[in-house]
Amino acid sequence: MNANKQIASIECTITIVMSLLLIAGLLSACSGINIQAARNLSATGKNVALQVRQNIFVSDDEYTRARDGEALVHGFSGTTNSDLYAKILKDYDVIHQELAKRTIVFESLADVYDAFGELAGLDAGAQTEQALTNLGGAIEEYAKQIMQPSPIYKDTTAIISKVGGIVAAEIQKAKIKEASIQIRGRVEDFQKLLGNKLVREQMTGFRQSLTTVKKAAFTLMWNQGVYDPKPLLDDFGTDAGLVAKKEAAAGIKPNTPLGNALLEVLKKRLAIKADLIEKSYDASLKALGSLISEHRKLEQGEPLDLNRVQAISAELRSIAGMLTKVKADLSKNQ
Amino acid sequence: MKSKKSVLQKTVSIVHDGKLTQEEALKALRVASQSATEALPAALGKCTTDEERQKVMTDRDLVVLAYLNSLQKTLVQTGALFENTAINLETEAENVRRKAGALTDVTDAINLLTELIRLAASLALAFG
């Protein structure tokens, strides 16, 4: 009787192991997926989404300064009661709010990468293997309690657990591949949307316009002779280790050759910001393109080159830094 | 003077092409608006009366408003595309989380079964 039970037990064990091996075999097409690479890609993807968001939208500070610029030029021209001025401010607000709504797409993209990280972050193989080992132990314990031979031998429990772990890992890889394909499709759609010429003009054009208002307000103030140009004069003397005389700045008047020369320098510095707005947008599109390319590699089981994406992300950060530096340089000269 | 010439060249080029796309039209309005704003300090500097200053400002404001008005109209068109993209991304995040949840569910089910068997074993011991 016991011998029959043992034979049945062995048969049962073999059936389970064979079934698991069959499932593992069916899923082995996904074994090229590198789970660790998927984890790294999810972290990089989130980082890119947040960095791009920071780079292509008008910051609150930028927006406030542009509104201040409008106030200044209207105050100067005595048109603060003008309906046109009120309409400009109202339109600015509506447009700024409308564009700000678009930041939600970047938050959603970051969230998708968070979810991808959750999927890749699981250690399904090891967890399932441990769970099956525990299950085998529990069955054996139960059999002992009811004075029956264990339906599965201890040695085969280890095999089942191992194969079960492999199956779980393969299932996870299959799900990662499927998720990567879906996410790639969404990122491709998003890249196309941001690359749309009209969208690009809307996003970068409004920002350029705000920069122009700030520049006009600054120039108006410069022409009134309210700024101390000494820091700018000192900048020119830096290489020679010289600083401008204390009284030199006082001698520089607007609309004189030297006044105009310094104004031109400042205008060119401000113009850098306008170039950076376009550059920043291009770098953002490039970053999304790199993410798409890394997803493809992950799906094909090729090694990822996340350094490339990280380099573009660093470029984005550097542009954001340069935009701030232009602001800092100007503040220094004010 | 230079920027005025550049705006003029852009306008001529658009007319010559015979096709004016929406983004080109918007860009042309934006460039005109920026040129008017850039010209403000010099123009205001030349004014000698309040009336002149107000006239300069009104002319500039009209050009800027033409741009802002057109920009708002185009934003309505593309805004929906961003909304759809956000919805698609949110759905994708849910799908991926469901996949991760399904993986955990399998392990949870095995662990639950293990606990049930352990419970059965302890009950067998108690009644044995």
Side-chain angles (χ1 to χ4, degrees):
Chain A
M1 185 65 183
N2 271 351
N4 283 344
K5 272 186 182 172
Q6 280 179 0
I7 289 166
S9 160
I10 291 165
E11 280 174 353
C12 172
T13 308
I14 290 169
T15 310
I16 294 168
V17 172
M18 290 305 284
S19 306
L20 288 172
L21 283 171
L22 183 66
I23 298 168
L26 289 171
L27 290 165
S28 62
C30 299
S31 53
I33 295 279
N34 182 330
I35 296 178
Q36 187 53 47
R39 285 175 196 154
N40 295 343
L41 180 57
S42 74
T44 308
K46 185 180 178 181
N47 183 29
V48 165
L50 297 176
Q51 194 61 54
V52 169
R53 179 192 146 172
Q54 194 190 330
N55 274 58
I56 70 169
F57 284 95
V58 174
S59 70
D60 287 343
D61 180 52
E62 230 176 321
Y63 182 65
T64 308
R65 280 167 180 259
R67 275 184 68 100
D68 288 350
E70 281 294 342
L72 192 132
V73 292
H74 284 89
F76 187 87
S77 60
T79 51
T80 48
N81 293 324
S82 144
D83 290 343
L84 298 178
Y85 170 46
K87 179 85 170 71
I88 284 176
L89 291 184
K90 193 181 164 203
D91 284 2
Y92 272 176
D93 283 344
V94 172
I95 292 165
H96 182 54
Q97 281 163 19
E98 189 57 40
L99 288 174
K101 274 190 210 163
R102 297 180 175 187
T103 56
I104 194 170
V105 180
F106 293 88
E107 282 152 25
S108 303
L109 184 61
D111 190 38
V112 164
Y113 278 106
D114 265 343
F116 191 54
E118 284 167 29
L119 175 63
L122 293 170
D123 200 352
Q127 282 171 5
T128 308
E129 189 180 332
Q130 188 56 52
L132 287 170
T133 305
N134 294 344
L135 179 63
I139 291 171
E140 203 180 323
E141 192 60 30
Y142 179 66
K144 266 187 204 163
Q145 297 305 332
I146 58 169
M147 311 291 189
Q148 290 293 316
S150 174
I152 306 172
Y153 283 113
K154 206 172 186 176
D155 291 346
T156 48
T157 301
I159 298 169
I160 291 170
S161 304
K162 206 84 187 160
V163 177
I166 293 167
V167 170
E170 289 302 322
I171 290 172
Q172 185 182 10
K173 286 177 184 177
K175 285 179 187 291
I176 287 173
K177 185 174 181 177
E178 204 184 314
S180 174
I181 292 168
Q182 296 297 323
I183 293 171
R184 176 166 55 83
R186 300 294 178 214
V187 179
E188 279 169 346
D189 290 344
F190 187 36
Q191 192 200 26
K192 270 184 208 152
L193 179 60
L194 279 185
N196 175 296
K197 285 181 181 173
L198 180 59
V199 170
R200 185 194 177 100
E201 173 55 34
Q202 291 169 339
M203 307 282 284
T204 59
F206 182 59
R207 207 171 173 190
Q208 300 274 19
S209 291
L210 295 181
T211 305
T212 306
V213 176
K214 288 186 284 178
K215 198 168 137 188
F218 167 77
T219 309
L220 195 62
M221 298 287 274
W222 173 269
N223 289 346
Q224 298 306 306
V226 297
Y227 291 117
D228 176 6
K230 193 173 183 304
L232 188 56
L233 295 171
D234 288 347
D235 273 358
F236 276 100
T238 304
D239 288 344
L242 299 174
V243 291
K245 288 178 188 170
K246 278 179 188 167
E247 65 278 13
I252 297 168
K253 303 287 176 208
N255 299 316
T256 59
L258 191 51
N260 289 339
L262 293 182
L263 178 60
E264 180 59 18
V265 173
L266 293 168
K267 277 184 175 176
K268 282 284 176 279
R269 284 191 180 181
L270 284 162
I272 292 171
K273 187 164 182 179
D275 291 341
L276 288 175
I277 291 171
E278 295 290 334
K279 203 176 168 188
S280 183
Y281 203 86
D282 286 336
S284 300
L285 289 175
K286 201 162 82 175
L288 292 175
S290 294
L291 273 183
I292 293 166
S293 150
E294 295 309 313
H295 271 286
R296 280 210 184 91
K297 286 183 193 166
L298 179 75
E299 291 152 23
Q300 287 159 9
E302 291 172 19
L304 306 194
D305 181 11
L306 290 176
N307 287 342
R308 195 169 148 254
V309 192
Q310 279 152 4
I312 298 170
S313 189
E315 189 188 343
L316 281 169
R317 266 197 301 278
S318 145
I319 293 170
M322 281 155 78
L323 281 165
T324 320
K325 191 176 179 298
V326 171
K327 204 191 290 172
D329 283 349
L330 288 170
S331 310
K332 207 172 78 178
N333 287 316
Q334 282 170 18
Chain B
M1 186 65 186
K2 250 184 186 177
S3 62
K4 206 171 177 183
K5 197 178 171 186
S6 141
V7 174
L8 200 66
Q9 279 170 349
K10 278 186 174 87
T11 314
V12 170
S13 146
I14 289 165
V15 173
H16 276 205
D17 288 349
K19 316 174 254 188
L20 183 62
T21 60
Q22 213 171 16
E23 74 273 4
E24 282 170 339
L26 187 64
K27 188 175 179 182
L29 279 170
R30 195 245 306 164
V31 171
S33 154
Q34 281 183 272
S35 301
T37 305
E38 271 174 11
L40 260 185
L44 287 172
K46 283 178 185 160
C47 296
T48 49
T49 65
D50 286 346
E51 286 73 25
E52 282 174 353
R53 274 189 280 273
Q54 283 161 12
K55 173 77 172 67
V56 164
M57 202 66 222
T58 302
D59 288 348
R60 176 265 178 185
D61 284 354
L62 284 170
V63 181
V64 171
L65 278 171
Y67 163 64
L68 294 177
N69 188 35
S70 303
L71 174 59
Q72 278 189 71
K73 281 180 182 162
T74 65
L75 284 176
V76 174
Q77 292 170 24
T78 54
L81 299 173
F82 277 86
E83 278 170 29
N84 289 341
T85 306
I87 291 168
N88 288 340
L89 285 168
E90 280 161 22
T91 311
E92 203 48 59
E94 277 171 30
N95 288 342
V96 177
R97 286 208 166 90
R98 208 171 296 129
K99 283 186 176 77
L103 276 181
T104 327
D105 288 349
V106 174
T107 318
D108 288 348
I110 298 170
N111 287 335
L112 181 65
L113 191 58
T114 306
E115 287 308 312
L116 287 172
I117 291 170
R118 281 193 181 132
L119 179 67
S122 56
L123 286 172
L125 189 67
F127 291 100

